[in-house]
Amino acid sequence: MSKLLRGLHRLEDTLLAGLLLTLLLLAAGQIGLRWIADSGWVEGEVAQRTLVLWIALLGALGAARDRRHLSLDLLPRLLPETGRRVIWALGQVIAAGVCAAMAWYGWSLVELEREAPAPLFAGLPSWAGMLIIPFGFAVLSLRFALASALGPPADADPSSAASAEP
């Protein structure tokens, strides 16, 4: 099971890096075409916006996977270990619920777009670019739900943070 998870994490990281490289090359190509030939790929801006959406959600998945996402940790740092665990679990459950709602409404958005699809770029229908919304938020919801049961990360311990400062 651990080997499967490592493979999935590697695939996730590779996809994120590949999309980021594609975005950079596309942006540089657009700049070059505008500068040299006074033209550009008409659908390039739409492709770049779609790539930014995918990169943002895949980046959020990576941050949640490594438990490095943004969080408010003032209150847990003031509480004893048991209180810290309870607040951590509550925060993760709330985040899981919000992400589940976003996945649900994201799927509704995809279905709405499928009713009257417009071309996105390169012949893709517009809803194809939106598939990351329900998928990404569903996986985020699952990761937050699992994190609620696993407890806070080791670096959330205030005693370890105090010892790490010079």
Side-chain angles (χ1 to χ4, degrees):
M1 184 63 151
S2 178
K3 191 174 182 178
L4 174 66
L5 280 177
R6 279 195 310 269
L8 287 173
H9 293 170
R10 195 173 315 116
L11 174 67
E12 211 176 88
D13 292 342
T14 303
L15 181 59
L16 180 59
L19 290 175
L20 184 58
L21 180 62
T22 302
L23 177 63
L24 290 173
L25 291 174
L26 184 57
Q30 285 285 81
I31 291 168
L33 281 172
R34 288 182 184 155
W35 188 58
I36 295 169
D38 200 26
S39 71
W41 182 34
V42 175
E43 299 169 327
E45 298 295 325
V46 175
Q48 289 176 42
R49 283 195 305 264
T50 303
L51 285 171
V52 166
L53 177 64
W54 279 72
I55 290 167
L57 279 166
L58 287 173
L61 286 172
R65 174 189 71 209
D66 297 336
R67 302 170 100 180
R68 298 278 182 201
H69 53 82
L70 292 176
S71 63
L72 301 174
D73 63 350
L74 177 64
L75 182 60
R77 290 182 181 273
L78 300 174
L79 296 174
E81 178 67 25
T82 305
R84 190 169 41 252
R85 286 185 166 281
V86 168
I87 293 294
W88 169 264
L90 181 62
Q92 299 305 297
V93 167
I94 291 170
V98 169
C99 288
M102 291 294 290
W104 175 266
Y105 289 115
W107 183 252
S108 297
L109 180 65
V110 169
E111 286 187 334
L112 184 65
E113 195 65 30
R114 287 182 68 190
E115 289 177 9
L120 186 61
F121 63 89
L124 288 172
S126 55
W127 57 267
M130 297 177 175
L131 285 174
I132 190 63
I133 297 171
F135 172 76
F137 279 110
V139 175
L140 276 170
S141 179
L142 178 63
R143 286 196 174 156
F144 285 128
L146 290 173
S148 70
L150 297 175
D155 62 354
D157 183 12
S159 61
S160 68
S163 63
E165 294 177 7

Short mmCIF file of all heavy atoms in Angstrom, two decimals, residues 69-131:
data_model
loop_
_atom_site.label_atom_id
_atom_site.label_comp_id
_atom_site.label_asym_id
_atom_site.label_seq_id
_atom_site.Cartn_x
_atom_site.Cartn_y
_atom_site.Cartn_z
N HIS A 69 -0.41 22.92 4.21
CA HIS A 69 -1.37 23.91 3.76
C HIS A 69 -1.49 25.03 4.78
O HIS A 69 -1.05 24.90 5.92
CB HIS A 69 -2.73 23.25 3.50
CG HIS A 69 -3.22 22.46 4.68
ND1 HIS A 69 -3.84 23.04 5.75
CD2 HIS A 69 -3.11 21.15 4.96
CE1 HIS A 69 -4.12 22.13 6.64
NE2 HIS A 69 -3.69 20.96 6.19
N LEU A 70 -2.08 26.13 4.36
CA LEU A 70 -2.29 27.24 5.28
C LEU A 70 -3.25 26.83 6.38
O LEU A 70 -4.24 26.14 6.14
CB LEU A 70 -2.88 28.43 4.52
CG LEU A 70 -1.97 29.11 3.52
CD1 LEU A 70 -2.73 30.20 2.79
CD2 LEU A 70 -0.74 29.67 4.18
N SER A 71 -2.95 27.25 7.58
CA SER A 71 -3.84 26.97 8.69
C SER A 71 -3.64 28.02 9.77
O SER A 71 -2.58 28.65 9.84
CB SER A 71 -3.58 25.57 9.26
OG SER A 71 -2.28 25.49 9.78
N LEU A 72 -4.65 28.20 10.57
CA LEU A 72 -4.57 29.10 11.71
C LEU A 72 -4.18 28.26 12.91
O LEU A 72 -4.92 27.36 13.31
CB LEU A 72 -5.91 29.79 11.94
CG LEU A 72 -6.42 30.61 10.76
CD1 LEU A 72 -7.83 31.12 11.05
CD2 LEU A 72 -5.49 31.74 10.45
N ASP A 73 -3.03 28.55 13.49
CA ASP A 73 -2.56 27.68 14.56
C ASP A 73 -2.28 28.40 15.87
O ASP A 73 -1.60 27.87 16.73
CB ASP A 73 -1.31 26.92 14.10
CG ASP A 73 -0.14 27.83 13.78
OD1 ASP A 73 -0.35 29.05 13.73
OD2 ASP A 73 0.96 27.31 13.60
N LEU A 74 -2.82 29.59 16.05
CA LEU A 74 -2.59 30.31 17.30
C LEU A 74 -3.24 29.59 18.48
O LEU A 74 -2.59 29.30 19.47
CB LEU A 74 -3.10 31.75 17.20
CG LEU A 74 -2.98 32.55 18.49
CD1 LEU A 74 -1.51 32.72 18.87
CD2 LEU A 74 -3.65 33.89 18.36
N LEU A 75 -4.52 29.29 18.36
CA LEU A 75 -5.23 28.63 19.46
C LEU A 75 -4.63 27.27 19.81
O LEU A 75 -4.39 27.00 20.99
CB LEU A 75 -6.73 28.51 19.13
CG LEU A 75 -7.60 27.90 20.22
CD1 LEU A 75 -7.53 28.73 21.50
CD2 LEU A 75 -9.04 27.77 19.74
N PRO A 76 -4.37 26.39 18.83
CA PRO A 76 -3.78 25.10 19.20
C PRO A 76 -2.44 25.22 19.91
O PRO A 76 -2.12 24.40 20.77
CB PRO A 76 -3.61 24.38 17.86
CG PRO A 76 -4.62 25.00 16.97
CD PRO A 76 -4.72 26.43 17.41
N ARG A 77 -1.67 26.23 19.61
CA ARG A 77 -0.37 26.39 20.28
C ARG A 77 -0.51 26.77 21.75
O ARG A 77 0.42 26.58 22.53
CB ARG A 77 0.47 27.43 19.55
CG ARG A 77 0.94 26.96 18.20
CD ARG A 77 1.81 28.00 17.53
NE ARG A 77 2.24 27.56 16.23
CZ ARG A 77 3.33 26.83 16.01
NH1 ARG A 77 4.10 26.47 17.01
NH2 ARG A 77 3.66 26.47 14.79
N LEU A 78 -1.65 27.31 22.11
CA LEU A 78 -1.88 27.72 23.50
C LEU A 78 -2.50 26.63 24.35
O LEU A 78 -2.59 26.77 25.56
CB LEU A 78 -2.79 28.96 23.52
CG LEU A 78 -2.27 30.20 22.79
CD1 LEU A 78 -3.34 31.28 22.79
CD2 LEU A 78 -0.98 30.69 23.43
N LEU A 79 -2.93 25.55 23.70
CA LEU A 79 -3.63 24.48 24.42
C LEU A 79 -2.70 23.32 24.75
O LEU A 79 -1.67 23.13 24.10
CB LEU A 79 -4.78 23.97 23.54
CG LEU A 79 -5.90 24.97 23.25
CD1 LEU A 79 -6.88 24.37 22.26
CD2 LEU A 79 -6.61 25.37 24.52
N PRO A 80 -3.09 22.52 25.74
CA PRO A 80 -2.32 21.30 26.01
C PRO A 80 -2.52 20.30 24.86
O PRO A 80 -3.36 20.49 23.98
CB PRO A 80 -2.93 20.77 27.32
CG PRO A 80 -4.28 21.39 27.40
CD PRO A 80 -4.20 22.70 26.67
N GLU A 81 -1.78 19.22 24.91
CA GLU A 81 -1.77 18.22 23.83
C GLU A 81 -3.17 17.73 23.44
O GLU A 81 -3.51 17.67 22.26
CB GLU A 81 -0.89 17.03 24.23
CG GLU A 81 -0.84 15.91 23.22
CD GLU A 81 -0.15 16.30 21.92
OE1 GLU A 81 0.68 17.22 21.93
OE2 GLU A 81 -0.45 15.66 20.89
N THR A 82 -3.99 17.41 24.41
CA THR A 82 -5.34 16.91 24.12
C THR A 82 -6.18 17.97 23.42
O THR A 82 -6.85 17.69 22.42
CB THR A 82 -6.04 16.47 25.42
OG1 THR A 82 -5.23 15.51 26.09
CG2 THR A 82 -7.40 15.87 25.12
N GLY A 83 -6.14 19.18 23.91
CA GLY A 83 -6.89 20.27 23.27
C GLY A 83 -6.39 20.55 21.87
O GLY A 83 -7.17 20.84 20.96
N ARG A 84 -5.07 20.47 21.69
CA ARG A 84 -4.47 20.69 20.37
C ARG A 84 -4.98 19.63 19.38
O ARG A 84 -5.33 19.95 18.25
CB ARG A 84 -2.95 20.65 20.49
CG ARG A 84 -2.25 21.11 19.25
CD ARG A 84 -0.75 21.33 19.42
NE ARG A 84 -0.04 20.36 20.21
CZ ARG A 84 0.44 20.57 21.42
NH1 ARG A 84 0.27 21.73 22.02
NH2 ARG A 84 1.10 19.63 22.07
N ARG A 85 -5.05 18.40 19.81
CA ARG A 85 -5.54 17.32 18.94
C ARG A 85 -7.02 17.52 18.59
O ARG A 85 -7.42 17.30 17.45
CB ARG A 85 -5.35 15.96 19.60
CG ARG A 85 -3.92 15.51 19.62
CD ARG A 85 -3.83 14.09 20.18
NE ARG A 85 -2.54 13.52 19.91
CZ ARG A 85 -2.17 13.00 18.75
NH1 ARG A 85 -3.01 12.98 17.76
NH2 ARG A 85 -0.97 12.49 18.58
N VAL A 86 -7.82 17.94 19.56
CA VAL A 86 -9.25 18.16 19.32
C VAL A 86 -9.44 19.32 18.33
O VAL A 86 -10.22 19.20 17.37
CB VAL A 86 -10.01 18.43 20.64
CG1 VAL A 86 -11.41 18.93 20.39
CG2 VAL A 86 -10.02 17.18 21.49
N ILE A 87 -8.76 20.42 18.56
CA ILE A 87 -8.87 21.57 17.66
C ILE A 87 -8.37 21.20 16.26
O ILE A 87 -8.97 21.58 15.26
CB ILE A 87 -8.09 22.78 18.22
CG1 ILE A 87 -8.75 23.29 19.50
CG2 ILE A 87 -7.97 23.89 17.19
CD1 ILE A 87 -10.14 23.86 19.30
N TRP A 88 -7.28 20.45 16.19
CA TRP A 88 -6.75 20.01 14.89
C TRP A 88 -7.81 19.18 14.15
O TRP A 88 -8.10 19.43 12.98
CB TRP A 88 -5.48 19.19 15.07
CG TRP A 88 -5.06 18.49 13.81
CD1 TRP A 88 -5.33 17.21 13.46
CD2 TRP A 88 -4.34 19.04 12.72
NE1 TRP A 88 -4.81 16.93 12.23
CE2 TRP A 88 -4.20 18.04 11.75
CE3 TRP A 88 -3.79 20.29 12.46
CZ2 TRP A 88 -3.53 18.24 10.55
CZ3 TRP A 88 -3.13 20.48 11.27
CH2 TRP A 88 -3.00 19.47 10.33
N ALA A 89 -8.36 18.19 14.84
CA ALA A 89 -9.36 17.32 14.22
C ALA A 89 -10.58 18.11 13.78
O ALA A 89 -11.10 17.91 12.67
CB ALA A 89 -9.76 16.20 15.19
N LEU A 90 -11.04 19.03 14.61
CA LEU A 90 -12.20 19.85 14.26
C LEU A 90 -11.91 20.70 13.02
O LEU A 90 -12.74 20.77 12.10
CB LEU A 90 -12.59 20.74 15.44
CG LEU A 90 -13.80 21.65 15.23
CD1 LEU A 90 -15.05 20.82 14.98
CD2 LEU A 90 -13.98 22.56 16.44
N GLY A 91 -10.75 21.31 12.98
CA GLY A 91 -10.37 22.11 11.81
C GLY A 91 -10.30 21.28 10.54
O GLY A 91 -10.75 21.72 9.47
N GLN A 92 -9.76 20.07 10.65
CA GLN A 92 -9.66 19.20 9.48
C GLN A 92 -11.02 18.73 9.01
O GLN A 92 -11.28 18.63 7.81
CB GLN A 92 -8.76 17.99 9.79
CG GLN A 92 -7.33 18.36 10.15
CD GLN A 92 -6.67 19.22 9.10
OE1 GLN A 92 -6.48 18.81 7.97
NE2 GLN A 92 -6.32 20.44 9.49
N VAL A 93 -11.92 18.44 9.96
CA VAL A 93 -13.28 18.01 9.60
C VAL A 93 -14.02 19.16 8.91
O VAL A 93 -14.72 18.95 7.91
CB VAL A 93 -14.04 17.50 10.84
CG1 VAL A 93 -15.52 17.35 10.57
CG2 VAL A 93 -13.44 16.18 11.31
N ILE A 94 -13.87 20.37 9.42
CA ILE A 94 -14.51 21.53 8.78
C ILE A 94 -13.95 21.73 7.38
O ILE A 94 -14.70 21.95 6.42
CB ILE A 94 -14.36 22.79 9.65
CG1 ILE A 94 -15.20 22.65 10.92
CG2 ILE A 94 -14.74 24.05 8.87
CD1 ILE A 94 -14.94 23.72 11.95
N ALA A 95 -12.63 21.65 7.23
CA ALA A 95 -12.01 21.80 5.91
C ALA A 95 -12.49 20.70 4.96
O ALA A 95 -12.76 20.97 3.78
CB ALA A 95 -10.49 21.76 6.03
N ALA A 96 -12.63 19.48 5.47
CA ALA A 96 -13.14 18.38 4.64
C ALA A 96 -14.56 18.67 4.18
O ALA A 96 -14.91 18.42 3.02
CB ALA A 96 -13.08 17.06 5.42
N GLY A 97 -15.39 19.20 5.08
CA GLY A 97 -16.76 19.53 4.72
C GLY A 97 -16.85 20.64 3.68
O GLY A 97 -17.63 20.55 2.72
N VAL A 98 -16.04 21.67 3.84
CA VAL A 98 -16.01 22.77 2.87
C VAL A 98 -15.55 22.26 1.51
O VAL A 98 -16.14 22.58 0.47
CB VAL A 98 -15.13 23.93 3.36
CG1 VAL A 98 -14.87 24.95 2.26
CG2 VAL A 98 -15.76 24.61 4.58
N CYS A 99 -14.50 21.44 1.51
CA CYS A 99 -14.00 20.89 0.24
C CYS A 99 -15.01 19.95 -0.40
O CYS A 99 -15.14 19.92 -1.64
CB CYS A 99 -12.65 20.19 0.46
SG CYS A 99 -11.31 21.34 0.76
N ALA A 100 -15.73 19.18 0.40
CA ALA A 100 -16.77 18.30 -0.15
C ALA A 100 -17.87 19.13 -0.80
O ALA A 100 -18.36 18.78 -1.89
CB ALA A 100 -17.34 17.40 0.95
N ALA A 101 -18.26 20.23 -0.17
CA ALA A 101 -19.27 21.11 -0.76
C ALA A 101 -18.75 21.72 -2.06
O ALA A 101 -19.47 21.80 -3.06
CB ALA A 101 -19.66 22.21 0.23
N MET A 102 -17.48 22.12 -2.08
CA MET A 102 -16.89 22.68 -3.30
C MET A 102 -16.85 21.62 -4.41
O MET A 102 -17.07 21.95 -5.58
CB MET A 102 -15.49 23.20 -3.02
CG MET A 102 -15.45 24.43 -2.15
SD MET A 102 -16.17 25.88 -2.93
CE MET A 102 -14.96 26.21 -4.18
N ALA A 103 -16.57 20.38 -4.06
CA ALA A 103 -16.58 19.30 -5.05
C ALA A 103 -17.98 19.11 -5.61
O ALA A 103 -18.17 18.95 -6.83
CB ALA A 103 -16.05 18.01 -4.44
N TRP A 104 -18.96 19.12 -4.73
CA TRP A 104 -20.36 18.94 -5.15
C TRP A 104 -20.78 20.06 -6.11
O TRP A 104 -21.30 19.81 -7.18
CB TRP A 104 -21.25 18.94 -3.91
CG TRP A 104 -22.71 18.87 -4.23
CD1 TRP A 104 -23.57 19.92 -4.36
CD2 TRP A 104 -23.48 17.70 -4.47
NE1 TRP A 104 -24.83 19.47 -4.66
CE2 TRP A 104 -24.81 18.11 -4.74
CE3 TRP A 104 -23.18 16.34 -4.46
CZ2 TRP A 104 -25.82 17.21 -5.00
CZ3 TRP A 104 -24.21 15.45 -4.73
CH2 TRP A 104 -25.50 15.89 -5.00
N TYR A 105 -20.53 21.30 -5.71
CA TYR A 105 -20.91 22.42 -6.56
C TYR A 105 -20.02 22.51 -7.80
O TYR A 105 -20.48 22.98 -8.86
CB TYR A 105 -20.89 23.73 -5.76
CG TYR A 105 -22.03 23.78 -4.76
CD1 TYR A 105 -21.78 23.81 -3.40
CD2 TYR A 105 -23.35 23.77 -5.19
CE1 TYR A 105 -22.82 23.83 -2.49
CE2 TYR A 105 -24.40 23.78 -4.29
CZ TYR A 105 -24.12 23.82 -2.94
OH TYR A 105 -25.16 23.83 -2.04
N GLY A 106 -18.79 22.07 -7.70
CA GLY A 106 -17.93 22.02 -8.87
C GLY A 106 -18.45 21.05 -9.91
O GLY A 106 -18.41 21.32 -11.12
N TRP A 107 -18.97 19.91 -9.45
CA TRP A 107 -19.56 18.95 -10.38
C TRP A 107 -20.81 19.53 -11.02
O TRP A 107 -21.06 19.33 -12.21
CB TRP A 107 -19.85 17.62 -9.69
CG TRP A 107 -20.39 16.64 -10.68
CD1 TRP A 107 -21.67 16.18 -10.79
CD2 TRP A 107 -19.66 16.02 -11.74
NE1 TRP A 107 -21.78 15.31 -11.85
CE2 TRP A 107 -20.54 15.20 -12.46
CE3 TRP A 107 -18.33 16.08 -12.15
CZ2 TRP A 107 -20.16 14.46 -13.56
CZ3 TRP A 107 -17.94 15.34 -13.25
CH2 TRP A 107 -18.85 14.54 -13.94
N SER A 108 -21.59 20.27 -10.25
CA SER A 108 -22.77 20.94 -10.81
C SER A 108 -22.36 21.92 -11.90
O SER A 108 -23.03 22.03 -12.94
CB SER A 108 -23.54 21.68 -9.72
OG SER A 108 -24.04 20.78 -8.77
N LEU A 109 -21.26 22.62 -11.68
CA LEU A 109 -20.75 23.56 -12.68
C LEU A 109 -20.33 22.82 -13.95
O LEU A 109 -20.63 23.26 -15.06
CB LEU A 109 -19.57 24.33 -12.10
CG LEU A 109 -18.89 25.35 -13.01
CD1 LEU A 109 -19.85 26.50 -13.34
CD2 LEU A 109 -17.63 25.87 -12.35
N VAL A 110 -19.66 21.68 -13.80
CA VAL A 110 -19.26 20.87 -14.96
C VAL A 110 -20.48 20.40 -15.72
O VAL A 110 -20.54 20.48 -16.95
CB VAL A 110 -18.37 19.69 -14.52
CG1 VAL A 110 -18.16 18.71 -15.66
CG2 VAL A 110 -17.03 20.19 -14.01
N GLU A 111 -21.48 19.90 -15.00
CA GLU A 111 -22.70 19.43 -15.66
C GLU A 111 -23.43 20.56 -16.37
O GLU A 111 -23.95 20.38 -17.48
CB GLU A 111 -23.63 18.76 -14.65
CG GLU A 111 -23.15 17.39 -14.24
CD GLU A 111 -24.16 16.65 -13.38
OE1 GLU A 111 -24.98 17.31 -12.70
OE2 GLU A 111 -24.13 15.42 -13.41
N LEU A 112 -23.46 21.72 -15.77
CA LEU A 112 -24.09 22.88 -16.40
C LEU A 112 -23.35 23.24 -17.70
O LEU A 112 -23.97 23.53 -18.72
CB LEU A 112 -24.09 24.06 -15.43
CG LEU A 112 -24.79 25.33 -15.87
CD1 LEU A 112 -26.29 25.07 -16.03
CD2 LEU A 112 -24.56 26.44 -14.86
N GLU A 113 -22.05 23.18 -17.65
CA GLU A 113 -21.25 23.50 -18.84
C GLU A 113 -21.38 22.43 -19.91
O GLU A 113 -21.29 22.73 -21.10
CB GLU A 113 -19.78 23.66 -18.42
CG GLU A 113 -18.91 24.34 -19.45
CD GLU A 113 -19.28 25.78 -19.71
OE1 GLU A 113 -19.79 26.46 -18.80
OE2 GLU A 113 -19.04 26.23 -20.85
N ARG A 114 -21.62 21.19 -19.51
CA ARG A 114 -21.80 20.11 -20.49
C ARG A 114 -23.10 20.26 -21.28
O ARG A 114 -23.21 19.75 -22.39
CB ARG A 114 -21.78 18.76 -19.79
CG ARG A 114 -20.37 18.37 -19.34
CD ARG A 114 -20.35 17.03 -18.70
NE ARG A 114 -20.64 16.01 -19.72
CZ ARG A 114 -20.87 14.75 -19.44
NH1 ARG A 114 -20.86 14.35 -18.19
NH2 ARG A 114 -21.11 13.89 -20.38
N GLU A 115 -24.07 20.95 -20.71
CA GLU A 115 -25.33 21.15 -21.42
C GLU A 115 -25.16 22.02 -22.65
O GLU A 115 -25.85 21.83 -23.64
CB GLU A 115 -26.37 21.78 -20.48
CG GLU A 115 -26.86 20.83 -19.41
CD GLU A 115 -27.83 21.49 -18.45
OE1 GLU A 115 -28.26 22.65 -18.70
OE2 GLU A 115 -28.17 20.86 -17.43
N ALA A 116 -24.29 22.98 -22.59
CA ALA A 116 -24.04 23.88 -23.72
C ALA A 116 -22.54 24.14 -23.81
O ALA A 116 -22.07 25.23 -23.49
CB ALA A 116 -24.80 25.18 -23.56
N PRO A 117 -21.77 23.13 -24.20
CA PRO A 117 -20.31 23.30 -24.19
C PRO A 117 -19.84 24.30 -25.25
O PRO A 117 -20.39 24.36 -26.34
CB PRO A 117 -19.79 21.90 -24.48
CG PRO A 117 -20.89 21.23 -25.22
CD PRO A 117 -22.17 21.83 -24.70
N ALA A 118 -18.87 25.04 -24.87
CA ALA A 118 -18.19 25.95 -25.79
C ALA A 118 -16.79 25.39 -26.01
O ALA A 118 -16.28 24.65 -25.16
CB ALA A 118 -18.13 27.35 -25.19
N PRO A 119 -16.16 25.73 -27.11
CA PRO A 119 -14.78 25.24 -27.29
C PRO A 119 -13.83 25.94 -26.32
O PRO A 119 -13.93 27.15 -26.11
CB PRO A 119 -14.46 25.59 -28.74
CG PRO A 119 -15.44 26.65 -29.13
CD PRO A 119 -16.64 26.48 -28.26
N LEU A 120 -12.95 25.18 -25.71
CA LEU A 120 -11.97 25.73 -24.77
C LEU A 120 -10.71 26.12 -25.54
O LEU A 120 -10.45 27.28 -25.78
CB LEU A 120 -11.66 24.71 -23.68
CG LEU A 120 -10.77 25.15 -22.54
CD1 LEU A 120 -11.39 26.31 -21.79
CD2 LEU A 120 -10.52 23.99 -21.58
N PHE A 121 -9.94 25.14 -25.93
CA PHE A 121 -8.78 25.32 -26.79
C PHE A 121 -8.43 23.95 -27.35
O PHE A 121 -8.76 22.92 -26.77
CB PHE A 121 -7.59 25.96 -26.07
CG PHE A 121 -7.03 25.14 -24.94
CD1 PHE A 121 -6.04 24.21 -25.15
CD2 PHE A 121 -7.51 25.31 -23.65
CE1 PHE A 121 -5.54 23.45 -24.12
CE2 PHE A 121 -7.01 24.55 -22.61
CZ PHE A 121 -6.03 23.62 -22.84
N ALA A 122 -7.80 23.95 -28.48
CA ALA A 122 -7.34 22.72 -29.15
C ALA A 122 -8.48 21.70 -29.32
O ALA A 122 -8.25 20.50 -29.23
CB ALA A 122 -6.17 22.10 -28.39
N GLY A 123 -9.69 22.19 -29.51
CA GLY A 123 -10.82 21.30 -29.74
C GLY A 123 -11.44 20.71 -28.49
O GLY A 123 -12.40 19.95 -28.57
N LEU A 124 -10.91 21.02 -27.32
CA LEU A 124 -11.48 20.50 -26.07
C LEU A 124 -12.75 21.25 -25.72
O LEU A 124 -12.83 22.47 -25.90
CB LEU A 124 -10.48 20.67 -24.92
CG LEU A 124 -9.26 19.78 -24.90
CD1 LEU A 124 -8.31 20.23 -23.81
CD2 LEU A 124 -9.66 18.34 -24.69
N PRO A 125 -13.75 20.54 -25.18
CA PRO A 125 -14.94 21.26 -24.71
C PRO A 125 -14.62 22.01 -23.41
O PRO A 125 -13.73 21.62 -22.65
CB PRO A 125 -15.95 20.14 -24.47
CG PRO A 125 -15.14 18.92 -24.25
CD PRO A 125 -13.87 19.10 -25.04
N SER A 126 -15.35 23.07 -23.17
CA SER A 126 -15.06 23.92 -22.01
C SER A 126 -15.15 23.18 -20.68
O SER A 126 -14.41 23.47 -19.74
CB SER A 126 -16.01 25.11 -22.00
OG SER A 126 -17.35 24.67 -22.05
N TRP A 127 -16.02 22.18 -20.58
CA TRP A 127 -16.17 21.47 -19.31
C TRP A 127 -14.94 20.62 -18.97
O TRP A 127 -14.70 20.33 -17.81
CB TRP A 127 -17.43 20.61 -19.30
CG TRP A 127 -17.52 19.60 -20.40
CD1 TRP A 127 -18.13 19.76 -21.61
CD2 TRP A 127 -16.97 18.29 -20.38
NE1 TRP A 127 -17.99 18.62 -22.35
CE2 TRP A 127 -17.28 17.70 -21.62
CE3 TRP A 127 -16.26 17.55 -19.44
CZ2 TRP A 127 -16.90 16.40 -21.95
CZ3 TRP A 127 -15.88 16.26 -19.77
CH2 TRP A 127 -16.20 15.69 -21.00
N ALA A 128 -14.15 20.24 -19.98
CA ALA A 128 -12.97 19.42 -19.72
C ALA A 128 -11.96 20.16 -18.84
O ALA A 128 -11.33 19.56 -17.96
CB ALA A 128 -12.33 18.98 -21.02
N GLY A 129 -11.81 21.44 -19.04
CA GLY A 129 -10.90 22.22 -18.22
C GLY A 129 -11.37 22.40 -16.80
O GLY A 129 -10.58 22.66 -15.90
N MET A 130 -12.67 22.23 -16.59
CA MET A 130 -13.24 22.41 -15.25
C MET A 130 -13.25 21.13 -14.42
O MET A 130 -13.58 21.18 -13.24
CB MET A 130 -14.69 22.90 -15.38
CG MET A 130 -14.84 24.22 -16.03
SD MET A 130 -16.60 24.56 -16.16
CE MET A 130 -16.56 26.20 -16.82
N LEU A 131 -12.90 20.01 -15.02
CA LEU A 131 -12.97 18.74 -14.28
C LEU A 131 -12.08 18.72 -13.05
O LEU A 131 -12.35 17.99 -12.10
CB LEU A 131 -12.58 17.58 -15.20
CG LEU A 131 -13.65 17.17 -16.21
CD1 LEU A 131 -13.10 16.12 -17.17
CD2 LEU A 131 -14.89 16.66 -15.50
#
